[in-house]
Amino acid sequence: MKRHRCHAWLLAAVLALPLARAAAADPSIPHLRKQGTATQLIVDGKPFLVLGGELYNSSASHLPYLEKLWPALKAANLNTVLAPVEWDQIEPEEGKFDFAVLDGMLRQARANDTRLILLWFGAWKNSMSTYPPAWVKRDNQRFPRARNRAGEPQDILSPFSANTLKADRAAFAAMMAHLKKVDAQRTVIMVQVENEIGMLPDVRDFGPEANAALAGPVPRSLTAYLHSHREGLHPYVRKLWEANGSRSAGSWTEVFGSSIEAEEVFQAWHYAAFTEELARAGKAAYGLPMFVNVALNRPGRKPGEYPSAGPLPHLFDIWKAGAPAVDLIAIDTYFPNFPDWARQFKRPDNPLFVPEGNRLGRPELGANAIWSIAELDGMGYSPFAIDNPTDLKTDPLPAAFALLKQLTPVIMAAQGTGRMRGFKAQVSYDGVIDMAPQTVQMGAYKLHVSLQNQWGKTEPSEVESRGGLVIQTGDDEFIVAGKGITVTFSDPQGPATGVGIEKLTEGKFLEGRWKEGRWLNGDESHQGRHVRLPANDGFTVQQVKLYKFR
């Protein structure tokens, strides 16, 4: 009996430690590190760029099925596979864990020289509770369901249940402890906590425990966060709080009001607090980086018409205050206006990571991956359903991943330094493509980047697949990589000083070093007027050295 009390005391002591200490004590564990304005994932002591693909939900649940997928996964030029781990599969009986499928996944990934990011399908997956084990699903008394406004039960576990939290937390911590024991090779580099949390079909849970919590006090930690971050709060949250007197204490309705927006804030806090408990317990067992993902809301929809209270940009402040152990909030993106959304996820307190994007076959995927990694210092990009049958020879993403793979050392050195920019078509939610050239300044040069051909006759539909990046590697030197972009250089002070091309070469990077190919100072650069990456040659790289003349 004394031994059990000792173990409980030790566990409490571990939970009380700063969460970053485990990674600091063992730098071989994958962890996050700042570089300038960027946050990078460090694996095996080096910055790691996730060139990923997320499996269908069920593909990793049966090892013989997964084994057949690896040739296609390798052909897609992935270095990372995102794979679910199901609560119902690892804990079929309460307190009795079976990690055979997880162990098999690890073996297969190692055999194919591929990293894993695990997606914990616990209490919620896409709002619903389809992955808890049977002993949870069938015990409505112990594990109550959320209720809609009419009081009807939903197939969604309530985040207000202490029993649900305890069970989910224990299973997640057990998985992380097992992972620490069996994964000395660091095959797993990050873990997602739950999947697309959010409440449907109402703004919040209307069960008795939820209603009691709504009448209770707003946690001091939340109001303290609001006060200390007032100037940077999202208008959605700031307006609610200030309209009710910017209170430091009070019930939820006293602090935020009784509107549907206020109810979403209330539900978001409790989802975040639940997730925080899982992340803390998981990190106490094994301190890998952890993130949450989110399903985006469509324009004009009200909370509950989209998965309400998930970690959406307008609720980042609630989630950041409620779940500080979560390292980042990641974007799941299927809308055409990817840049608009992605920019909202790149913040000083939140690096951009795309664990789930449109499936293979979409023309914009390669451009999206390159742009997000270059322009927003993204940690990586991953389409959903990577195991969906497709002709990988014609799909743009594997070629874009091949380009990013050879450029990784140069990209990772440039992230966060201001020496790199990304370019792609800017598309509205309705699919309208902006064909205007994009202009940026890098060092002593102004860059004018067009996604059209040199005659300006490109169809809008063609532009979606085009994009690229520019990295400044010296005062007068640049790397230009991508597909279908034309870059013209000028002096920021005006036309009194001209800019010419001293030398332009095509080539590729081998282990971070430039291997020169053809010299392109003639017709290929329009007699020194621009750098042009053809649209029909796939994803390519050119290096240019400039000079100025008067």
Side-chain angles (χ1 to χ4, degrees):
M1 196 70 176
K2 291 180 180 179
R3 182 167 53 192
H4 288 288
R5 284 199 296 270
C6 181
H7 285 176
W9 179 86
L10 284 173
L11 177 59
V14 169
L15 289 171
L17 292 172
L19 293 171
R21 188 173 296 177
D26 187 353
S28 71
I29 297 175
H31 58 280
L32 303 182
R33 185 174 73 193
K34 292 285 289 185
Q35 176 174 284
T37 58
T39 299
Q40 298 180 326
L41 175 63
I42 306 301
V43 178
D44 294 337
K46 298 184 298 184
F48 186 88
L49 187 61
V50 176
L51 306 177
E54 181 176 334
L55 298 173
Y56 274 121
N57 295 165
S58 304
S59 296
S61 66
H62 185 60
L63 293 176
Y65 184 92
L66 178 61
E67 184 69 53
K68 298 176 183 178
L69 301 178
W70 285 104
L73 299 178
K74 295 289 287 184
N77 285 323
L78 309 181
N79 63 16
T80 307
V81 168
L82 285 75
V85 176
E86 303 175 12
W87 183 9
D88 53 359
Q89 195 166 42
I90 71 165
E91 195 181 9
E93 296 182 54
E94 186 170 6
K96 297 181 180 180
F97 295 97
D98 181 354
F99 295 108
V101 172
L102 175 57
D103 292 343
M105 267 200 293
L106 293 172
R107 287 193 299 270
Q108 290 186 21
R110 290 169 193 150
N112 287 277
D113 192 26
T114 302
R115 304 284 180 165
L116 291 174
I117 293 176
L118 300 183
L119 316 177
W120 175 243
F121 284 6
W124 305 290
K125 189 272 174 187
N126 291 55
S127 303
M128 308 304 290
S129 296
T130 53
Y131 284 96
W135 54 269
V136 172
K137 288 181 176 179
R138 291 180 175 276
D139 193 341
N140 297 171
Q141 190 70 29
R142 185 177 167 199
F143 305 107
R145 300 304 187 270
R147 295 181 178 271
N148 65 13
R149 195 178 294 270
E152 298 164 338
Q154 308 299 303
D155 197 11
I156 302 172
L157 290 169
S158 173
F160 297 89
S161 167
N163 289 333
T164 299
L165 171 59
K166 181 180 178 182
D168 195 357
R169 181 176 57 198
F172 185 66
M175 181 193 73
M176 295 303 298
H178 179 77
L179 200 60
K180 182 179 181 180
K181 179 181 178 181
V182 301
D183 191 25
Q185 298 90 332
R186 315 303 189 201
T187 307
V188 177
I189 56 176
M190 285 203 294
V191 177
Q192 178 183 289
V193 186
E194 308 292 351
N195 188 85
E196 292 189 359
I197 297 170
M199 183 63 194
L200 292 170
D202 263 314
V203 58
R204 68 172 179 89
D205 181 358
F206 286 87
E209 290 178 306
N211 291 336
L214 183 68
V218 174
R220 172 62 183 156
S221 57
L222 176 54
T223 56
Y225 179 98
L226 297 177
H227 279 286
S228 63
H229 293 78
R230 180 190 290 266
E231 296 306 315
L233 292 176
H234 193 283
Y236 188 92
V237 171
R238 183 171 179 175
K239 182 179 179 181
L240 290 171
W241 180 51
E242 291 185 343
N244 289 276
S246 304
R247 291 172 177 261
S248 297
S251 70
W252 285 93
T253 54
E254 289 171 337
V255 174
F256 294 105
S258 56
S259 65
I260 189 173
E261 292 82 8
E263 289 184 309
E264 184 179 34
V265 167
F266 161 76
Q267 182 77 14
W269 171 265
H270 287 89
Y271 273 141
F274 188 108
T275 306
E276 169 73 2
E277 290 294 320
L278 264 64
R280 286 184 63 85
K283 285 188 172 185
Y286 184 28
L288 286 177
M290 295 188 182
F291 66 96
V292 291
N293 64 334
V294 60
L296 303 180
N297 51 317
R298 297 179 183 273
R301 300 290 179 89
K302 296 180 180 180
E305 295 174 346
Y306 60 82
S308 173
L312 288 153
H314 67 275
L315 297 169
F316 271 8
D317 295 308
I318 307 303
W319 275 82
K320 290 293 181 181
V326 173
D327 295 293
L328 63 107
I329 297 171
I331 176 177
D332 290 358
T333 171
Y334 294 87
F335 297 157
N337 57 332
F338 172 65
D340 293 339
W341 279 108
R343 287 188 181 98
Q344 297 179 62
F345 283 75
K346 164 69 174 178
R347 296 166 29 131
D349 62 352
N350 199 75
L352 176 67
F353 177 53
V354 184
E356 185 177 329
N358 259 327
R359 306 179 185 194
L360 291 180
R362 298 285 302 184
E364 74 277 10
L365 291 193
N368 282 354
I370 294 171
W371 177 84
S372 62
I373 288 165
E375 181 68 6
L376 300 180
D377 296 325
M379 293 171 55
Y381 190 90
S382 170
F384 177 62
I386 193 66
D387 46 327
N388 184 46
T390 185
D391 188 354
L392 293 173
K393 294 180 181 178
T394 59
D395 195 277
L397 190 67
F401 275 3
L403 175 74
L404 289 167
K405 190 172 293 185
Q406 66 157 301
L407 288 173
T408 292
V410 189
I411 288 172
M412 304 313 277
Q415 280 193 339
T417 68
R419 297 187 293 106
M420 179 168 60
R421 299 299 300 267
F423 303 93
K424 74 172 300 291
Q426 305 299 297
V427 186
S428 71
Y429 178 78
D430 297 323
V432 178
I433 299 174
D434 184 356
M435 302 283 283
Q438 301 168 35
T439 300
V440 300
Q441 184 168 337
M442 299 183 73
Y445 296 92
K446 186 176 285 187
L447 282 62
H448 312 270
V449 181
S450 174
L451 300 174
Q452 302 188 57
N453 61 29
Q454 59 264 49
W455 301 282
K457 297 180 180 179
T458 307
E459 292 295 323
S461 59
E462 297 177 50
V463 170
E464 273 197 285
S465 67
R466 302 182 179 189
L469 59 82
V470 176
I471 303 174
Q472 186 172 18
T473 55
D475 289 343
D476 304 309
E477 294 181 347
F478 297 85
I479 294 294
V480 183
K483 180 175 77 170
I485 68 172
T486 301
V487 184
T488 305
F489 300 87
S490 66
D491 190 287
Q493 302 304 315
T497 300
V499 175
I501 292 177
E502 177 182 316
K503 180 182 177 182
L504 177 64
T505 61
E506 66 181 4
K508 59 183 178 180
F509 281 90
L510 295 175
E511 297 181 352
R513 301 188 66 174
W514 176 246
K515 183 174 178 59
E516 192 175 272
R518 293 185 302 162
W519 291 37
L520 307 174
N521 283 32
D523 289 348
E524 291 83 4
S525 65
H526 199 188
Q527 323 316 322
R529 291 179 175 89
H530 58 225
V531 175
R532 180 170 62 89
L533 304 181
N536 56 358
D537 287 353
F539 290 90
T540 58
V541 189
Q542 295 181 19
Q543 184 183 67
V544 62
K545 187 171 184 179
L546 306 173
Y547 68 96
K548 294 186 178 184
F549 59 90
R550 294 179 182 271

